[in-house]
Amino acid sequence: MSDLPAPHRLGVLISGRGSNLFAIASAIERGRLPQAKIAVVISNRPEAPGLARAREAGLAAVAIPAQGRSRSEQDEEIVACLRKYRVDLVCLAGYMRLLTPEFVAAFPQRILNIHPSLLPAFAGLHAQRQALEYGVTVSGCTVHFVDEHLDHGPIIVQRTVPVNAGDDERSLSARILEQEHGAYAEAIARVLSGRYRLAGRRYVEVEEAEP
Ligand code: GRF
């Protein structure tokens, strides 16, 4: 990505409260992502609390609900909006919709997602509940490139979190969320630096930005 003129323009997609969105915004404010700017926040749910908070914070915030349309029509509108705001990197942050292959193809290796488990374990909904029910003693979070499969693309950053004996879904989710906030900023910084290449599924750091 380093070939693009700085600052890199992020499009953040949300469906809910948006704590990861605000963790990214705060990383930018604190100078942890000096090459980044949030160009637009998009939610598929107009009532998402994160969308209202984004507006209050002065960010461009757009609701693009399904409104009885097909997924591909909705995704076309989202891609058009991302292009309108000249977005370089798309960050899914609690965005609860699977992207169409056309959306994925519109931003090749330029879409990231965060998931609250150590993938490939516990993909899909209620990852923290799945981890507790399975009985793992360690869980965590994963930031990965998005491909056309659910919670599947190459992994950029993972952080581990212990599962404690007294944990319930709420306490484990809160402990994982703390790690998510740092992990997402770290992954964005890595991708924007351009100092990586993909060897198959493996994310490999390199000295110089790849052309
Ligand atoms: C996070 O746990 C994220 O990993 C998952 O959905 C949740 C979104 O939380 N995909 P928030 O809206 O960023 O607070």
Side-chain angles (χ1 to χ4, degrees), residues 38 64 71 88 92 136 162 203-204:
I38 296 179
I64 304 184
R71 204 155 57 92
D88 306 307
L92 309 186
V136 292
Y203 169 94
V204 183

Side-chain angles (χ1 to χ4, degrees), residues 62-189:
V62 182
I64 304 184
Q67 277 172 337
R69 295 176 297 176
S70 68
R71 204 155 57 92
S72 59
E73 285 168 333
Q74 184 186 17
D75 274 10
E76 265 174 36
E77 193 183 329
I78 293 173
V79 168
C81 182
L82 292 167
R83 293 209 194 286
K84 175 177 157 199
Y85 284 92
R86 292 179 288 117
V87 164
D88 306 307
L89 184 68
V90 181
C91 301
L92 309 186
Y95 183 66
M96 307 304 279
R97 297 274 285 178
L98 198 58
L99 307 191
T100 55
E102 291 75 19
F103 187 160
V104 176
F107 291 90
Q109 276 182 40
R110 295 288 181 269
I111 310 177
L112 311 185
N113 180 43
I114 187 150
H115 184 73
S117 76
L118 295 175
L119 290 172
F122 315 128
L125 291 175
H126 309 301
Q128 303 94 331
R129 190 189 305 167
Q130 292 185 57
L132 278 173
E133 283 172 358
Y134 196 89
V136 292
T137 58
V138 177
S139 190
C141 61
T142 304
V143 186
H144 63 94
F145 287 108
V146 170
D147 64 15
E148 50 289 344
H149 306 291
L150 179 67
D151 299 329
H152 179 265
I155 291 167
I156 305 160
V157 171
Q158 288 191 304
R159 291 198 181 178
T160 59
V161 164
V163 180
N164 298 336
D167 267 336
D168 56 16
E169 193 177 346
R170 195 189 171 97
S171 62
L172 179 60
S173 300
R175 195 175 314 113
I176 292 174
L177 192 65
E178 258 183 65
Q179 293 305 314
E180 289 185 38
H181 294 163
Y184 218 157
E186 183 187 337
I188 293 169

